[in-house]
Amino acid sequence: SLIQNFLFHFRDFLPRGSGIVTRRPLVLQLVNSSTEYGEFLHCKGKKFTDFEEVRLEIEAETDRVTGSNKGISPVPINLRVYSPHVLNLTLVDLPGMTKVPVGDQPPDIEFQIRDMLMQFVTKENCLILAVSPANSDLANSDALKIAKEVDPQGQRTIGVITKLDLMDEGTDARDVLENKLLPLRRGYIGVVNRSQKDIDGKKDIQAALAAERKFFLSHPAYRHMADRMGTPFLQKVLNQQLTNHIRDTLPGLRNKLQSQLLSIEKEVEEYKNFRPDDPARKTKALLQMVQQFAVDFEKRIEGSGDQIDTYELSGGARINRIFHERFPFELVKMEFDEKELRREISYAIKNIHEVRTGLFTPDMAFETIVKKQVKKIKEPCLKCVDMVISELINTVRQCTKKLSQYPHLREEMERIVTTHIREREGRTKDQVMLLIDIELAYMNTNHEDFIGFANAQQRSSQMSKKKAAGNQDEILVIRKGWLTINNIGIMKGGSKEYWFVLTAENLSWYKDDEEKEKKYMLPVDNLKLRDVEKGFMSSKHIFALFNTEQRNVYKDYRQLELACETQEEVDSWKASFLRAGVYPERVGDKDKASEAEENGGDSFMHSMDPQLERQVETIRNLVDSYMAIVNKTIRDLMPKTIMHLMINNTKDFIHSELLANLYSCGDQNTLMEESAEQAQRRDEMLRMYHALKEALNIIGDINTSTISTPMPPPVDDSWLQVQSVPSGRRSPTSSPTPQRRAPAVPPARPGSRGPAPGPPPAGGSALGGAPPVPSRPGASPDPFGPPPQVPSRPNRAPPGVPSRPGKASPARPESPKPPFDM
């Protein structure tokens, strides 16, 4: 009834009846508009001009979700009503509190409805209308109790008293409406709704409002506050509260809109005079895009990019990692196996001497072994070129992301640059192969870093003495870090993370990085690396250490599985193990060993010849020294060669020739054709710009055309915390005994009155504040004079809104009211 009165220019369209009628929340948005119609959210695009159809749709939509036998649902029905006769408000009609389930309602109907109410009334921007009938005990109102729970300060609660015309003769709710009895911070507003007889008689809402106005003007207890009673005044209070809320949020909203406007203003400036078919614009845009691409590419390679990625390496950083981590790792991976190398040296020496017994170490054996090792470098060098090319192409794609608005230009630019990189690939690989061939062409045994035969023999004797005496030098730490031992069973504690320390002699792990509690120390002699496939449920990358002599590595484990979070971390650890002399396992090692044993079994015979053993050791030291020089040279020249022939050349090509290639590849109009997404984005940007400008203008108008009303001061609402009296016993102080015109509570002693704690006098702009407390008849001739002081009263439970005991109050068959509306 209350919500329908707000829509007094419409016919009845809200369902009415006996029992529980509101079984789903109804979110009703009133929008002031020049036309009049209704819209449902679940019927998008359909406008209801006949409000009888609106009522039928509400009933049908309720039954669609809840059934037709009194079931309930928290899913709201959203209805928007446009009309020139309404104020801008949003109201939510909620089901009333039900104690006893009926029909299809569940046994916990009371708690379900309470939870449903709480979803709405707990929101801070929600104003609570606590609706209570005048002919019942206000102190036991469920609506006010729930409002007190969610709004203890009373800043959002307005009391609404209905059925004032049905109170017993000689009783009234004046003290309640004056906010002297059972006070609320925002006070109470009285309304008179239509009776069921009026509804059945098709009484017009306009006539009902006129009758409500007449009732307040003619009633002796309410005539002095008639201008602060009734449905129209309640509408104004709610609208003023909405105005207050809007004005409170305006400063923050204005700042947000202004910052958004500034952020898009520069981009919108380009769009304001935008003409898609202007050739000058297309030429300018093409030049800008090429220049921007060249700058972005160079920044990604050389560094100092405007957007620095903090999650992964990209561009020049990844290429640097290839040069100084991946490529050296690939070189070391090609490291020769010690036993195999010594066997090859011994075979070379024997084959050079043939039937004769050599007295001197042949230098041809040294050259043969070195050339064989240098040829192995080709593979990692070519792999390095391939990795750099992959990163360059990826960098090009990253740089062309900014060209997404011109898909044809982006595609063509990627094609041209990628084709150039592929052309340079052949030239770079040829140059790399030339470097290897140059190393093979001449063995420079006069190199300053080469040890020579004399030093090689001397080193051999020193090494033998060192092995006998033991290494007493300080051990250099190669790497420290966290690793997870992955192959410990669940019964023994499962996978666990330890702090590992790798040196040239051993691998140790500790409980933590303080390195106080050592768990184990594993010598690195005879250890090798192998990759392990990660498990089905594992996200970590795993590698394993194993013993080449088929011994247990750690306790009763044949191999020690170590896990890292990323593959890059695994590669880095592998490189560190290579420095410690722990090499990766190579496929076919076992086959080669068995083949050597079958080859006459002389792999053991040469160790019996001391002279051959010395010659092998000498050649071994010479090869080691010379290959160190070659590796150092290759590690130095490879980055320089790739940078010169590949990367710098590509940068020069982008700066000097890319634009010419773009012009020669086809029609400029086709290249600069916008994508549909870009056209849509431009339109949305312009719409947003104009919407922001309009919103700022509206905010300015609101600031100049509206005013805020202050929040009423707090009142003593401790009466809301009084628990209801158990059934069967009625407290005389809280019973709804009819109150006559005598004061409800004893007056205070003279001089004890202070300023009234109630709100200031309400005017046309007062928002939800309690009406001023008028004086008693005869106390002041001015009915709108200053309010009297609220008299003190004994510390006892306050009486309720009166009704006559022992006699049923006149009842109206009206639809059950929700405890509050919003």
Side-chain angles (χ1 to χ4, degrees):
S1 299
L2 183 64
I3 293 179
Q4 186 66 67
N5 283 358
F6 284 170
L7 309 170
F8 50 82
H9 286 273
F10 301 94
R11 293 176 54 195
D12 289 336
F13 68 87
L14 296 180
R16 300 282 296 272
S18 60
I20 181 169
V21 177
T22 304
R23 294 182 286 131
R24 289 176 61 184
L26 174 65
V27 180
L28 179 61
Q29 287 182 275
L30 307 181
V31 182
N32 188 273
S33 174
S34 57
T35 56
E36 194 168 88
Y37 60 92
E39 279 185 343
F40 285 96
L41 184 62
H42 62 272
C43 299
K44 291 183 178 178
K46 183 177 180 181
K47 295 183 179 180
F48 293 80
T49 54
D50 183 356
F51 282 85
E52 181 65 22
E53 293 182 11
V54 172
R55 182 181 64 80
L56 295 175
E57 181 60 31
I58 293 174
E59 294 176 349
E61 179 62 19
T62 300
D63 291 343
R64 269 195 287 270
V65 176
T66 64
S68 57
N69 197 13
K70 305 298 182 184
I72 66 166
S73 170
V75 181
I77 300 173
N78 291 270
L79 171 62
R80 185 175 290 178
V81 174
Y82 297 84
S83 172
H85 307 298
V86 297
L87 298 171
N88 291 321
L89 281 177
T90 298
L91 306 168
V92 183
D93 185 19
L94 296 169
M97 293 294 290
T98 299
K99 306 290 185 182
V100 180
V102 295
D104 292 336
Q105 294 174 356
D108 61 341
I109 180 70
E110 179 181 358
F111 300 103
Q112 286 196 21
I113 292 180
R114 183 182 176 86
D115 291 342
M116 188 190 309
L117 304 181
M118 289 298 179
Q119 292 178 16
F120 291 90
V121 299
T122 51
K123 297 176 181 176
E124 287 298 321
N125 61 346
C126 165
L127 193 66
I128 304 169
L129 296 187
V131 182
S132 303
N135 56 357
S136 67
D137 191 353
L138 189 63
N140 294 325
S141 168
D142 288 328
L144 288 172
K145 286 179 182 177
I146 292 180
K148 177 67 175 177
E149 287 182 28
V150 299
D151 181 30
Q153 302 299 321
Q155 297 179 354
R156 301 188 286 117
T157 304
I158 297 177
V160 178
I161 306 299
T162 63
K163 300 186 181 180
L164 291 168
D165 55 330
L166 299 184
M167 297 184 69
D168 293 337
E169 292 183 12
T171 64
D172 57 61
R174 173 175 173 173
D175 288 340
V176 174
L177 294 175
E178 288 179 346
N179 212 31
K180 289 197 283 185
L181 185 65
L182 312 178
L184 291 175
R185 187 167 186 174
R186 289 191 178 275
Y188 297 87
I189 298 174
V191 297
V192 177
N193 297 324
R194 292 175 299 168
S195 65
Q196 189 63 42
K197 180 180 177 182
D198 295 335
I199 295 171
D200 295 340
K202 305 295 183 181
K203 184 175 182 179
D204 184 56
I205 297 180
Q206 291 276 19
L209 291 176
E212 179 188 50
R213 178 71 175 163
K214 182 179 179 182
F215 170 80
F216 284 115
L217 288 172
S218 60
H219 198 289
Y222 309 133
R223 65 177 60 161
H224 66 284
M225 50 181 164
D227 60 332
R228 299 187 299 279
M229 296 290 115
T231 304
F233 178 72
L234 179 59
Q235 275 188 298
K236 290 179 183 178
V237 168
L238 297 179
N239 188 257
Q240 181 60 48
Q241 174 62 19
L242 178 63
T243 302
N244 281 1
H245 178 71
I246 292 173
R247 287 181 62 88
D248 289 343
T249 58
L250 281 186
L253 181 61
R254 182 195 289 112
N255 292 338
K256 185 177 180 181
L257 293 177
Q258 285 177 340
S259 63
Q260 285 182 337
L261 190 65
L262 289 173
S263 66
I264 66 172
E265 206 159 31
K266 184 177 180 181
E267 189 173 354
V268 169
E269 195 65 34
E270 301 175 5
Y271 295 152
K272 283 182 180 178
N273 303 317
F274 184 81
R275 288 183 296 165
D277 298 327
D278 184 8
R281 181 199 65 82
K282 291 184 177 182
T283 302
K284 180 181 177 182
L286 178 60
L287 289 171
Q288 288 176 340
M289 293 297 174
V290 173
Q291 290 173 356
Q292 186 63 45
F293 173 76
V295 170
D296 289 345
F297 184 82
E298 186 164 354
K299 282 184 176 180
R300 280 185 173 271
I301 298 298
E302 302 293 342
S304 73
D306 51 354
Q307 293 181 349
I308 299 175
D309 193 345
T310 58
Y311 296 99
E312 63 176 357
L313 297 177
S314 62
R318 293 182 73 90
I319 293 174
N320 178 274
R321 182 171 170 270
I322 291 170
F323 286 158
H324 302 295
E325 287 187 29
R326 296 292 300 277
F327 178 57
F329 174 68
E330 295 294 332
L331 280 180
V332 180
K333 266 173 61 176
M334 302 304 297
E335 190 76 47
F336 26 76
D337 181 80
E338 186 68 26
K339 292 181 180 179
E340 182 183 350
L341 179 62
R342 288 181 178 274
R343 186 169 57 248
E344 289 177 357
I345 294 174
S346 67
Y347 287 160
I349 292 173
K350 288 180 179 181
N351 289 334
I352 289 172
H353 291 312
E354 293 293 348
V355 296
R356 293 170 295 148
T357 301
L359 298 177
F360 303 101
T361 304
D363 56 353
M364 286 294 294
F366 160 75
E367 190 168 333
T368 302
I369 297 299
V370 166
K371 286 185 177 181
K372 186 175 181 181
Q373 298 303 322
V374 170
K375 287 178 182 178
K376 292 180 179 179
I377 298 177
K378 289 184 178 181
E379 183 180 346
C381 289
L382 294 177
K383 188 174 181 180
C384 177
V385 174
D386 290 335
M387 287 190 290
V388 171
I389 288 172
S390 177
E391 288 303 329
L392 273 181
I393 292 175
N394 186 52
T395 302
V396 169
R397 292 198 180 113
Q398 292 290 330
C399 294
T400 55
K401 280 184 178 179
K402 294 183 178 179
L403 307 179
S404 57
Q405 60 195 49
Y406 301 110
H408 296 294
L409 176 63
R410 176 180 180 177
E411 183 180 346
E412 198 62 29
M413 195 177 289
E414 282 185 9
R415 183 190 65 79
I416 292 172
V417 178
T418 304
T419 302
H420 178 77
I421 292 174
R422 290 299 179 189
E423 290 174 356
R424 299 304 298 176
E425 176 185 2
R427 177 79 176 84
T428 306
K429 286 185 176 180
D430 289 344
Q431 185 64 31
V432 168
M433 291 298 99
L434 181 61
L435 290 176
I436 306 299
D437 292 340
I438 290 171
E439 291 290 344
L440 290 170
Y442 179 67
M443 300 294 135
N444 182 17
T445 54
N446 286 327
H447 194 281
E448 58 185 3
D449 294 334
F450 187 61
I451 59 174
F453 272 89
N455 291 332
Q457 290 174 341
Q458 185 179 359
R459 180 180 293 184
S460 299
S461 60
Q462 288 176 351
M463 289 296 292
S464 59
K465 290 179 183 178
K466 202 172 209 178
K467 285 181 181 178
N471 188 7
Q472 303 296 328
D473 297 337
E474 183 180 353
I475 298 173
L476 178 67
V477 174
I478 296 175
R479 185 187 176 100
K480 296 182 179 182
W482 291 98
L483 285 172
T484 302
I485 299 181
N486 198 62
N487 57 333
I488 298 179
I490 296 177
M491 298 299 292
K492 297 184 179 179
S495 300
K496 197 169 182 182
E497 197 172 33
Y498 293 101
W499 178 260
F500 279 74
V501 177
L502 174 64
T503 68
E505 299 292 331
N506 54 62
L507 175 67
S508 306
W509 57 91
Y510 300 82
K511 181 180 178 181
D512 51 40
D513 54 2
E514 293 181 2
E515 299 182 16
K516 292 181 180 179
E517 184 179 342
K518 182 183 286 190
K519 292 293 184 181
Y520 199 80
M521 186 173 72
L522 177 67
V524 297
D525 294 337
N526 299 320
L527 289 184
K528 276 198 172 185
L529 282 167
R530 67 159 62 109
D531 290 321
V532 178
E533 292 186 6
K534 59 182 180 180
F536 177 70
M537 298 296 291
S538 174
S539 61
K540 295 193 173 185
H541 300 265
I542 307 170
F543 65 97
L545 297 172
F546 68 96
N547 195 297
T548 56
E549 298 179 354
Q550 304 300 316
R551 296 177 182 173
N552 290 343
V553 176
Y554 170 58
K555 295 184 178 179
D556 54 346
Y557 297 104
R558 281 287 185 181
Q559 65 180 23
L560 180 66
E561 294 182 7
L562 302 175
C564 302
E565 294 293 337
T566 63
Q567 185 60 44
E568 292 181 1
E569 202 174 348
V570 170
D571 293 341
S572 183
W573 270 103
K574 284 182 179 179
S576 300
F577 275 108
L578 287 171
R579 290 177 58 195
V582 181
Y583 300 109
E585 178 187 30
R586 292 189 297 179
V587 180
D589 280 350
K590 294 181 181 179
D591 297 338
K592 289 181 181 179
S594 60
E595 182 183 343
E597 289 177 5
E598 293 171 2
N599 201 6
D602 57 350
S603 58
F604 299 97
M605 291 174 62
H606 70 269
S607 60
M608 299 173 62
D609 182 358
Q611 183 179 355
L612 180 61
E613 183 72 23
R614 286 194 300 272
Q615 290 178 351
V616 168
E617 186 65 32
T618 301
I619 297 294
R620 171 70 184 85
N621 290 334
L622 291 172
V623 170
D624 197 18
S625 173
Y626 196 83
M627 286 307 300
I629 296 171
V630 172
N631 283 340
K632 183 178 179 181
T633 305
I634 293 297
R635 281 203 304 268
D636 180 59
L637 288 178
M638 276 294 293
K640 295 176 179 178
T641 303
I642 294 174
M643 281 297 297
H644 175 67
L645 295 176
M646 177 80 64
I647 298 175
N648 291 342
N649 184 275
T650 301
K651 285 194 297 184
D652 293 341
F653 173 81
I654 290 173
H655 278 289
S656 59
E657 298 182 39
L658 176 59
L659 186 60
N661 278 270
L662 284 172
Y663 275 119
S664 64
C665 71
D667 183 17
Q668 179 188 352
N669 291 328
T670 305
L671 275 181
M672 300 307 295
E673 187 176 320
E674 269 190 324
S675 64
E677 292 81 5
Q678 174 63 15
Q680 181 181 357
R681 183 177 183 276
R682 184 179 65 252
D683 294 340
E684 288 177 354
M685 191 71 69
L686 289 171
R687 278 199 302 270
M688 183 186 295
Y689 176 79
H690 294 304
L692 289 172
K693 296 280 283 186
E694 185 179 357
L696 288 171
N697 291 334
I698 292 173
I699 289 175
D701 293 342
I702 291 174
N703 274 334
T704 56
S705 61
T706 62
I707 58 172
S708 295
T709 56
M711 172 69 68
V715 296
D716 180 14
D717 58 357
S718 58
W719 62 274
L720 275 174
Q721 300 169 3
V722 178
Q723 299 297 322
S724 58
V725 181
S727 60
R729 297 178 58 196
R730 175 165 292 183
S731 170
T733 58
S734 62
S735 63
T737 305
Q739 301 299 316
R740 303 295 175 179
R741 300 306 307 147
V745 290
R749 286 192 297 272
S752 65
R753 297 175 181 174
S765 63
L767 167 60
V773 183
S775 59
R776 296 293 184 184
S780 173
D782 182 8
F784 297 96
Q789 313 308 316
V790 178
S792 62
R793 56 178 181 266
N795 187 15
R796 58 189 176 92
V801 179
S803 65
R804 179 171 298 169
K807 181 179 179 181
S809 302
R812 163 192 314 163
E814 188 180 43
S815 63
K817 291 305 300 170
F820 42 81
D821 295 330
M822 292 173 287

